[in-house]
Amino acid sequence: LAQKVADILLEDRLAPVAQAVSTSNHPALPGDWWSAETGLVYSIRDDDGTLKLAFCGAPAGVAIRPTAHGRALVSIGSIGDIELDLAAACEVKALPIRFGGRSAAYRKLTPAAADAAAFGRFAAGRYQSGDADCTADIGVAGDRITLAMRDGIGGWCANLTPLSDRVAIVATQLAGLPYSAALTVSDDGFRLETQRTRQLAFQRIAAG
């Protein structure tokens, strides 16, 4: 409501909002982009001819708007600005993304047919996070791979979608609110990243 009031009062002083970046100008961008450095996954979607950015496979995205010098910006009020270097993505097949004063290179993950089974075999097991004070179980049942979280208050379970043999995303709803996360699995455990959480560590305590 405060932003709407500001828009009305400042209407004659604000520059026009830039149109969203067209998918036709960047046809290779839609997909899931992951960084080994940050562990986060940014999902870029084609929404009726324009590009939108979402966190970790979330269904809803925010418009990607062009700025200058081949760059683009995603402004999320409660999170801040995310800058994408679209020109560099065309040249080096990696997408530099800057957030919170830190830039990292993201590469597009396109799952192969065997990645889901390989992820399930490697990741299945029980994990524990001291920082989150909870346990996590990654289970495999047929073609379904699940992530179950539990702490002293309660728990939840949702399907994982592998993007490679070591990276997966989960997109679900918790208490009626959207929730999405990225998991990067290693021999010792996994790191969990969300829109607001970075590098939350879970240690492997039992094999699946």
Side-chain angles (χ1 to χ4, degrees):
L1 290 176
Q3 290 178 343
K4 291 180 179 180
V5 170
D7 287 341
I8 294 171
L9 295 177
L10 300 175
E11 181 178 8
D12 59 345
R13 304 184 190 181
L14 297 176
V17 176
Q19 296 298 311
V21 174
S22 171
T23 306
S24 60
N25 293 333
H26 302 278
L29 279 183
D32 295 304
W33 296 78
W34 169 81
S35 166
E37 180 181 350
T38 69
L40 191 64
V41 172
Y42 287 105
S43 301
I44 298 180
R45 311 195 180 287
D46 174 12
D47 184 5
D48 197 22
T50 61
L51 294 179
K52 289 188 175 181
L53 181 141
F55 286 90
C56 310
V62 178
I64 301 174
R65 303 192 184 280
T67 54
H69 310 296
R71 290 177 166 81
L73 198 67
V74 178
S75 295
I76 303 176
S78 62
I79 299 297
D81 291 340
I82 302 166
E83 186 180 54
L84 294 76
D85 191 341
L86 303 183
C90 296
E91 295 173 3
V92 300
K93 307 301 181 185
L95 178 60
I97 299 179
R98 183 175 180 82
F99 171 74
R102 179 183 179 187
S103 184
Y106 288 72
R107 65 183 179 91
K108 191 175 183 180
L109 295 183
T110 304
D115 282 342
F119 180 91
R121 287 193 300 270
F122 183 77
R126 171 159 288 189
Y127 302 80
Q128 186 173 34
S129 172
D131 289 335
D133 192 21
C134 73
T135 60
D137 288 281
I138 296 178
V140 180
D143 295 334
R144 185 173 178 233
I145 303 175
T146 58
L147 171 68
M149 294 279 204
R150 179 164 292 278
D151 60 17
I153 300 174
W156 55 271
C157 182
N159 290 337
L160 283 172
T161 302
L163 301 180
S164 76
D165 60 348
R166 294 293 184 271
V167 180
I169 54 177
V170 54
T172 185
Q173 286 204 347
L174 301 179
L177 297 174
Y179 175 84
S180 62
L183 285 76
T184 302
V185 186
S186 66
D187 291 332
D188 298 329
F190 68 82
R191 292 185 308 170
L192 183 140
E193 327 285 335
T194 75
Q195 180 171 309
R196 297 179 180 275
T197 306
R198 298 292 185 273
Q199 298 186 6
L200 180 61
F202 284 76
Q203 303 300 318
R204 191 190 296 262
I205 57 176

